[in-house]
Amino acid sequence: MSSLPPCPKCNSEYTYEDGTMLMCPECAHEWSANAEDNAADDIKVIKDSVGNPLQDGDTVTVIKDLKVKGSSLVVKVGTKVKGIRLCDGDHDIDCKIDGIGAMKLKSEFVRKV
Ligand SMILES: [Zn+2]
């Protein structure tokens, strides 16, 4: 019953439980004992093909030809996409591409400009 994790802030081992929270007596930090809660609180970092973190409003270029689902259109490699919006899901970038319209991209197929 004594396997509480150390304080993530100051590394103190004297952490204790208070309900569903863990408390640190040394720096007064408190955090959720449920690791899944912590994961959900984390801001998900979406990265481009080379590992640059992406943000809403960034401009990216497409690094390979991408077929647009349900049409014969292709987003050509090198296409510049302005003002991306990050979203959840398999395709994690919401954007609008000239000549094509609103579509979703995968962050692994773009590169930040
Ligand atoms: Zn602490």
Side-chain angles (χ1 to χ4, degrees), residues 68 73 75 81 94-105:
V68 181
L73 296 168
V75 180
V81 184
D94 233 342
C95 64
K96 220 172 171 183
I97 298 178
D98 289 345
I100 291 176
M103 68 172 288
K104 292 195 167 193
L105 296 172

Side-chain angles (χ1 to χ4, degrees), residues 7-12 15 24-29 31:
C7 172
K9 245 185 165 175
C10 71
N11 258 326
S12 166
T15 52
C24 172
E26 300 200 11
C27 71
H29 183 54
W31 67 102

